[in-house]
Amino acid sequence: MKAITFRLPLISLLQREFAGYSATHLRADVLAGLTTGAVALPLALAFGVASGADAPAGLVTAIIAGILIGGLSGAAYQISGPTGAMSAILIAISARYGLEAVWVACVLAGLMLILLGLFRLGRYISFIPSPVIAGFTSGIALIIAIGQLDNVLGVKTPPAENAFAKVFHYFTHPLLPDWRTITIAGIVITVMILMPRINKTIPASLVGIILATVITVVLEWNVPMIGDIPRTILLDHRLTWSAIPWEHLSELLTPAVSIAALGAIESLLCGAVGSTMSGKPFDSNQELIAQGIGNIAIPFFGGVPATAAIARTSVAIKSGAVTRLTSIVHALLLLLSALVLGPVIRYVPLAALGGVLLMTAWRMNEWETIHFFVNARLRHALIGFFITMIATAALDLTQAILIGVVISALIYLRQSATSTVVTTAPVNPQQLQFQGSTITATCPSIHVYYLTGPIFFGSVTTVLEAFETAGDYHTIIISMRGVPLIDAMGIQALHQIVEEHHARGGEVIFTALQPAVLDVFKRTGLFDLVGARNIYWSSAHAIIELHERRLVAGCPRCHAHSESCQLLQIARQRLAPQPANQSTLSGESVG
């Protein structure tokens, strides 16, 4: 009896990933990790502040995520940490419930992510339409940019319910901006715009922050700064088991769903993009499990929710990352920065981080996708995009995605309904002759209806209206080669058409049924109602059979036949009959 072996997906991933690993690969991972860490440092500090926490929280998040999530990830190239998208929803949750609630919601979200991974639901995230993804990305960019206006302008405004409410407050309660903070943010933005044109290797955001910090210290500008950076990854202000409000967990389920949804979407999108860039495999379900474990652990160190970061992952891949050691090295560099550079980092102005986040918000927008929607004049995509963007900025992520998906679904249903076309045509002998038939005259009591597109509840009315003329003919042929699927209401409509035509003494024939449609016919009784002898593989074959029958039995409604049975038999030989369930041959047009 053979032993049954069970191997975890992560073990298989690691075996493939480190097969043939050498010192050359290690050197590549270390260099890529150092480069990624240099890029991640200013972003970690900035996103910690943007999340409603502080810079140390962002740094701790990047360190723990880099080691724990990176080590358990579903891909060799994935880099996780605090992100702009996550900070956009965290700032609202923090303002409404407090930072402790963010930590608890993060733990709950981690549990949800693990369940998503265990139940292998990762692939269903791809069902979210691209206009919705682009819309909520732009909505998040709006939230980030608006959330940094206080730091950039050097003012302090009360927490707002949403981004639009905060903008409204600026207009109703005008404040005097601080020219120094605006200058600091301007310096960082300028460096981030110009630096890549000179040197793409050195992180522009890091150079901008260093330059802005030096100017602030030298000129002794009194502006808000990051402050002390604890030389530890276990922050004093963190989640503890005793602090978990067990009796109020139900109130935090909605924020937890938002965090889990964003964590899943952003991580899986990042994984898909990284897989395309690197050509390496990506296990979406293992990635969800890794994100879940990481987000359960991070709050107990004082960090904020993390997710995979597309920008940092791209840097790692372009820097030559080979394995997940790149993520761990990047985290170790951040840890070293916290331990060694803490006394220097404390002087970084918040306005400098605000400048980094403004540029990040601008670059977050999927401009290529948006331009495509506009240039192609895809109105349905633009509607979904703008509705999702506004909903994201005004509501929360979960509601925005739900609204966007519903709007996209409604638009799709409308388009599907209008794409269902029913055309009719009398039998054309010339078309039959072109296909090899010798028929020169046809029976005018035979009429062909061509159905194209899905037949479902949205298109049933169109189909029924098209068959209002069916009573003018004794035999109607319904060609369904262009029908990929049919739902319950669609099959009921065809039942109605067949029964009404039979009641008039007419005959109904179906041709070119796709396998899925034929299966529905058989399961719903329509196949038996029509009869196997009235289901053909093509309209041409059906017409030849009908003319043969009428030459033998006669036609009470038509005397147009003059061919002999011999010629019809020759035509039948040229169009050899096939089984009724074959539905992929061409040659449907006989009208």
Side-chain angles (χ1 to χ4, degrees), residues 127-429:
F127 288 177
I128 300 177
S130 61
V132 175
I133 297 292
F136 95 75
T137 302
S138 293
I140 286 170
L142 271 178
I143 295 173
I144 293 173
I146 294 170
Q148 291 306 304
L149 290 180
D150 277 13
N151 288 334
V152 172
L153 297 177
V155 298
K156 185 68 176 177
T157 59
E161 191 70 18
N162 55 61
F164 292 137
K166 194 168 188 68
V167 172
F168 182 74
H169 185 275
Y170 285 120
F171 285 102
T172 55
H173 300 79
L175 298 170
L176 184 63
D178 188 334
W179 66 271
R180 294 169 299 182
T181 57
I182 296 176
T183 302
I184 291 169
I187 291 171
V188 174
I189 292 172
T190 301
V191 171
M192 291 183 70
I193 293 174
L194 298 179
M195 186 77 181
R197 302 178 183 179
I198 303 171
N199 189 314
K200 294 184 178 181
T201 304
I202 303 174
S205 57
L206 186 59
V207 174
I209 286 179
I210 292 173
L211 181 59
T213 303
V214 170
I215 292 174
T216 301
V217 173
V218 170
L219 298 181
E220 298 183 348
W221 284 349
N222 184 20
V223 294
M225 298 179 182
I226 286 179
D228 292 334
I229 300 292
R231 298 187 181 186
T232 175
I233 59 172
L234 194 64
L235 302 180
D236 293 335
H237 194 203
R238 64 182 187 275
L239 180 65
T240 60
W241 286 109
S242 60
I244 297 178
W246 300 101
E247 66 279 7
H248 299 298
L249 289 183
S250 59
E251 299 175 15
L252 299 176
L253 284 178
T254 299
V257 170
S258 295
I259 294 172
L262 180 58
I265 293 168
E266 192 167 12
S267 296
L268 298 187
L269 284 177
C270 179
V273 171
S275 181
T276 302
M277 290 179 62
S278 66
K280 296 179 180 178
F282 173 63
D283 188 325
S284 59
N285 296 302
Q286 177 60 38
E287 181 65 30
L288 290 176
I289 293 173
Q291 294 292 336
I293 293 173
N295 279 292
I296 290 175
I298 287 172
F300 293 99
F301 289 85
V304 294
T307 182
I310 294 178
R312 276 157 275 178
T313 298
S314 299
V315 170
I317 293 172
K318 293 176 181 177
S319 300
V322 179
T323 70
R324 63 193 66 223
L325 288 180
T326 295
S327 176
I328 297 173
V329 170
H330 124 277
L332 294 177
L333 177 62
L334 295 177
L335 176 60
L336 184 64
S337 301
L339 297 177
V340 177
L341 300 179
V344 177
I345 294 175
R346 70 185 304 274
Y347 294 106
V348 174
L350 292 180
L353 300 182
V356 171
L357 290 171
L358 286 181
M359 281 301 300
T360 301
W362 174 261
R363 292 171 177 173
M364 275 182 64
N365 289 282
E366 298 183 14
W367 294 114
E368 185 176 346
T369 301
I370 297 170
H371 289 157
F372 171 72
F373 292 159
V374 173
N375 294 335
R377 299 179 183 177
L378 299 176
R379 288 182 294 177
H380 61 282
L382 289 171
I383 291 171
F385 168 79
F386 281 112
I387 290 178
T388 306
M389 181 181 70
I390 294 171
T392 301
L395 304 172
D396 64 47
L397 175 73
T398 309
Q399 293 172 316
I401 290 181
L402 182 61
I403 291 172
V405 170
V406 169
I407 293 297
S408 297
L410 291 175
I411 293 173
Y412 170 77
L413 289 176
R414 179 180 179 277
Q415 289 179 319
S416 297
T418 56
S419 67
T420 301
V421 179
V422 184
T423 57
T424 68
V427 178
N428 188 333

